[in-house]
Amino acid sequence: FGIFKVLEGGKTIEMNGAINSSSLVNFNKLHQKNPKVTKINIKQCDGSSDDEVNLLVSKRVYDLNIEIHLLNNAEIASGGVDFFLAGKKRTRGSGTKIGVHSWSNGQNEATDFPVGHANHLPYISYYKSIGFTDEEAKAFYYFTINAATAKNIHWMTEEEIIKYKMLKP
């Protein structure tokens, strides 16, 4: 199922790789055949090549009340962080890294648009749809786009992980 693999027992999925334009279809096929899935273990997800699909598959995971765990030494970045935030419960092993940065549409970066611009709304709306308050959604979103340019990455500190409520036991 692309980057998703069902583990023995059919209740846990392992995720490894970047989210792409077929990830929603692959996830839905997997879930149709394995409706008892309750957990996704992420090995690595350095982002997405299709932000629209990323937000859709992430919202689907949230709506199914699936928990997400970062395996030991897992790295998530960019769209992988948005996906992780969809977990009903969000936990991590040791040695994990969470990376954020600005998005780019190829010509402009998120920070080229003023606060409140329509181009920011899909992300803020997504965060609100997965349980963030309006204030939390805006604070986290604007933190991510200002933390690093699209070509760079900011690995979140423990203080930032706590401040932005990345983990949800």
Side-chain angles (χ1 to χ4, degrees):
F1 300 97
I3 60 172
F4 303 107
K5 176 173 93 177
V6 180
L7 302 179
E8 289 179 42
K11 288 190 172 189
T12 303
I13 296 170
E14 183 178 274
M15 178 183 177
N16 190 25
I19 295 160
N20 60 46
S21 55
S22 59
S23 294
L24 179 61
V25 170
N26 289 339
F27 180 82
N28 284 335
K29 284 180 184 173
L30 178 152
H31 190 264
Q32 190 174 20
K33 291 183 178 177
N34 302 276
K36 294 183 179 179
V37 165
T38 58
K39 186 175 187 180
I40 297 172
N41 288 331
I42 300 179
K43 277 180 115 174
Q44 193 251 335
C45 181
D46 60 1
S48 68
S49 59
D50 188 325
D51 285 355
E52 196 174 321
V53 167
N54 183 39
L55 297 182
L56 291 171
V57 70
S58 300
K59 181 66 165 84
R60 177 98 167 101
V61 165
Y62 177 81
D63 290 343
L64 291 169
N65 292 315
I66 295 174
E67 63 183 76
I68 301 179
H69 177 73
L70 299 179
L71 295 170
N72 290 345
N73 303 310
E75 286 187 14
I76 57 171
S78 191
V81 176
D82 294 333
F83 183 88
F84 177 65
L85 291 174
K88 176 184 174 105
K89 182 177 168 186
R90 300 186 299 266
T91 57
R92 65 179 174 163
S94 63
T96 60
K97 291 172 79 174
I98 300 173
V100 296
H101 66 144
S102 179
W103 54 261
S104 170
N105 63 13
Q107 293 158 342
N108 300 97
E109 292 209 11
T111 52
D112 293 334
F113 301 97
V115 169
H117 190 279
N119 288 352
H120 300 305
L121 295 180
Y123 301 94
I124 293 168
S125 297
Y126 164 70
Y127 297 134
K128 288 166 51 176
S129 78
I130 60 165
F132 283 58
T133 66
D134 185 62
E135 184 180 328
E136 290 168 338
K138 288 175 180 170
F140 178 68
Y141 173 74
Y142 289 113
F143 159 73
T144 67
I145 67 169
N146 287 295
T149 64
K151 292 187 179 186
N152 291 298
I153 196 82
H154 168 75
W155 297 107
M156 292 179 73
T157 65
E158 286 303 310
E159 292 79 14
E160 291 164 345
I161 288 168
I162 292 164
K163 178 179 180 177
Y164 295 107
K165 301 176 183 171
M166 303 304 290
L167 303 174
K168 193 171 161 189

